[in-house]
Amino acid sequence: MEIANFADLLQAARAQPEPQRLLFVFAQAELPEDATPEQRANFEQGHGGALVPLTTVDKSPGELGTFEQLVAEAASYAPGWVVVFVAGLSGEGGSAPGLAQIERSLERMVESIKAGRFGAYLPFDRQGAPLLFE
């Protein structure tokens, strides 16, 4: 199934044979202190910068409604986010993933994002549009 939007992601997660947890890392854009004047100008126009994780959240697909509801909820714990990275974590034998497995997976996501390795995650902007990083 192609994931064209957040609703597709929820549908795919709900269709899995094993219980799922969706893992979210909300990130903001920051400009490094050693940025060039050109990088600063681009950043001021909404381009460039480094993505820095703000917070993590995990939810079952059943806990989620629309992307707009997720955005409204995130306003309380990650008000400055510009990108949310999402990954699915599957349970086994009819049981959802355990807390330790969820925490390890979220920690790996954060470290990967800090290192600029986003390929394994689905990134969405604040409007719920999937992003493609080049």
Side-chain angles (χ1 to χ4, degrees):
M1 169 182 213
E2 184 176 323
I3 307 290
N5 54 49
F6 191 74
D8 289 348
L9 172 67
L10 288 179
Q11 181 180 3
R14 290 175 180 145
Q16 297 303 306
E18 293 290 345
Q20 302 289 303
R21 292 300 288 185
L22 292 175
L23 310 179
F24 299 90
V25 176
F26 291 86
Q28 68 183 10
E30 290 184 356
L31 190 62
E33 289 184 23
D34 62 349
T36 66
E38 180 182 358
Q39 289 171 326
R40 290 184 188 284
N42 285 338
F43 187 76
E44 288 173 12
Q45 296 194 4
H47 305 287
L51 291 172
V52 178
L54 288 172
T55 193
T56 62
V57 175
D58 74 283
K59 295 195 173 278
S60 72
E63 292 176 288
L64 294 162
T66 65
F67 189 76
E68 291 76 17
Q69 290 168 326
L70 179 67
V71 169
E73 180 184 322
S76 66
Y77 50 77
W81 73 275
V82 295
V83 176
V84 60
F85 294 93
V86 186
L89 184 61
S90 185
E92 290 183 21
S95 296
L99 184 58
Q101 184 182 9
I102 291 167
E103 288 177 356
R104 280 192 309 273
S105 296
L106 285 168
E107 288 172 12
R108 280 194 301 271
M109 283 181 74
V110 166
E111 292 307 313
S112 293
I113 292 164
K114 285 180 179 178
R117 295 186 311 268
F118 316 132
Y121 313 117
L122 291 171
F124 293 94
D125 68 13
R126 288 187 73 99
Q127 289 70 45
L131 299 172
L132 178 63
F133 293 100
E134 298 176 12

